[in-house]
């Protein structure tokens, strides 16, 4: 039996989940894997707190050095969250030759190059399955199961909070605010929901996923990001009438030799497998030239789903003779700032002769071709009506330029939502 000393950085919900899972699975790990894990030190903010696991007080410390400098600790598990001090602690652990297992997408995405370099230089491992989509083994799939492919796209619902909110807006006709409040009441959204609803959480995850998919580091600052706080029930409802379901999508594509990495609300056809991913579930849809299309589906958050990925990484880290690390570092220089897709454009425009032809003319002048159009409902108090255009595939920049001119010339109010068909 091999005994492996481990230390925790942080012991909130996720850390307690890991501790409980290690205790639950101890006998099985020993029998099946031949490994006994010895938790030696746990860094916490305060030692006097009640925790969601039966952890002996003797393991708790408020001094990071107790974890980072213990020569008996071979693997450091980090679940403090946030960029700092988590990133510096992980660097110190790697520089001391300790392997790091982390769930921290923010620290990983923002310190990718330096963490991988430090791991390489010091012969340490860096494992991060839990940083993207909780229990779903998407990192392992990208690194170890799909490496024979040229990946052309990775399209994911990789934030459970926003998927819950949009699912409620779609199924109940709820407003964004009502659906968010419900998510907060259920503990699915934070009291300050910005990281989830404005797409930051998904952007960190997409930076990691797209770097692995395209073998070039896609810095998080290069990920186009737009959240869901501006989405209205009208957008959701009109989409439904066109057979489209609204999601916060994370899209990574390689087209014409350039990488697109973007997080924004997007419609998918109701027939697309991602359309049926409801509630707080996550899914990642991958296209590769040899494997074809496949979808990974499961729980992307929560203490036990995240612990599932962390403890699996821990087991792998303890068994590897030499650690495999992503070969990806150095920033990609070929990230696209424009892309083409179908656009759903909803506007509130004055209902009088000539307006429609002027709108259509502006689209035409920017090379945007219209696929269909509907005018809906009654005039509002200012004599305006809802008009929805679906374009053919068109350049994002061209659509935005057309919209900006429409707004200047006609004072229309517009929302643009991309439609991802593949
Ligand atoms: N807050 C995230 C989500 C989970 O809603 O998916 C952790 O990344």
């Amino acid at each position: 039996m091999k005994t492996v000393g481990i230390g925790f950085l942080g012991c909130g919900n996720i850390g307690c989940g890991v501790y409980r899972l290690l205790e639950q699975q101890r006998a099985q790990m020993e029998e099946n894997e031949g490994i006994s894990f010895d938790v030696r030190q746990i860094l916490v903010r305060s030692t006097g707190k009640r925790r969601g696991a039966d952890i002996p007080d003797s393991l708790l410390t408020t001094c990071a050095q107790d974890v980072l400098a213990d020569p008996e600790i071979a693997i450091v598990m980090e679940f403090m969250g946030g960029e700092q001090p988590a990133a510096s602690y992980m660097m110190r652990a790697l520089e001391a030759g300790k392997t790091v297992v982390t769930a921290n997408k923010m620290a990983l995405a923002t310190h990718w190059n330096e963490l991988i370099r430090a791991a390489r230089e010091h012969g340490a491992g860096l494992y991060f399955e839990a940083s993207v989509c909780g229990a779903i083994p998407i990192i392992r799939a990208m690194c170890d199961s799909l490496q024979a492919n040229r990946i052309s796209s990775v399209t994911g619902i990789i934030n459970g909070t926003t998927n819950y909110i949009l699912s409620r807006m779609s199924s109940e006709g709820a407003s964004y605010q009502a659906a968010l409040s419900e998510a907060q009441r259920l503990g699915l959204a934070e009291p300050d929901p910005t990281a989830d609803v404005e797409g930051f959480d998904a952007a960190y995850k997409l930076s990691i996923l797209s770097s692995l998919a395209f073998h070039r580091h896609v810095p998080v600052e290069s990920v186009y990001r737009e959240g869901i706080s501006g989405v209205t029930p009208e957008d959701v409802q009109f989409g439904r009438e066109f057979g489209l379901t609204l999601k916060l999508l994370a899209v990574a594509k390689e087209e014409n030799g350039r990488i697109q990495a973007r997080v924004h609300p997007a419609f998918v056809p109701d027939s697309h497998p991602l359309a049926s991913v409801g509630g707080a579930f996550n899914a990642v849809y991958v296209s590769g030239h040899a494997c074809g299309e496949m979808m990974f589906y499961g729980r992307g958050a929560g203490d036990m789903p995240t612990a599932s990925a962390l403890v699996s990484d821990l087991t792998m880290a303890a068994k590897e003779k030499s650690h495999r690390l992503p070969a990806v570092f150095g920033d990609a220089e070929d990230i696209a700032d424009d892309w083409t897709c179908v656009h759903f454009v909803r506007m509130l425009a004055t209902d009088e002769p000539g307006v429609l032809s002027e709108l259509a003319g502006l689209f035409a002048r920017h090379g945007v071709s219209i696929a269909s159009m509907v005018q809906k409902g009654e005039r509002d108090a200012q004599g305006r009506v809802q008009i929805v255009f679906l374009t053919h595939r068109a350049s994002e920049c061209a659509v935005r330029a057309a919209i900006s001119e429409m707004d200047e010339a006609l004072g229309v109010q517009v929302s643009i939502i991309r439609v991802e068909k593949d």
Side-chain angles (χ1 to χ4, degrees), residues 7 22 47 86 94 112 117 169 175 258-259 267 289 295 301 307 312 314-315 319 325 351 388 393 411:
L22 283 171
T47 50
L94 294 168
W112 178 267
R117 224 174 255 127
M169 290 179 74
S175 69
R258 292 178 78 78
I259 296 174
F267 284 114
H289 84 289
M295 188 162 95
S312 301
L314 173 68
T315 310
K319 287 169 73 177
L325 289 162
D351 190 17
V388 178
R393 272 183 91 87

Side-chain angles (χ1 to χ4, degrees), residues 103 105 130-134 158-163 188-190 195-196 201 205 280 282 300-302 306:
K105 68 241 139 188
S131 65
V132 180
C133 297
I158 60 178
N159 181 272
T161 305
T162 47
N163 202 44
L188 292 170
E190 304 280 342
D196 290 317
D201 174 82
K205 294 169 180 168
N282 282 194
T306 308

Side-chain angles (χ1 to χ4, degrees), residues 175-199:
S175 69
Y176 165 74
Q177 202 51 53
L180 169 61
S181 301
E182 176 72 0
Q184 285 170 319
R185 196 181 60 74
L186 294 172
L188 292 170
E190 304 280 342
D192 174 0
T194 311
D196 290 317
V197 300
E198 297 304 346

Side-chain angles (χ1 to χ4, degrees), residues 15 28 158 183 199 279 291 304 316 353 360:
Q28 187 182 309
I158 60 178
C291 63
M304 294 313 271
M316 197 163 186

Side-chain angles (χ1 to χ4, degrees), residues 14 52 245 256 283 298 313 364:
I14 306 291
T245 302
N256 309 319
D313 265 359

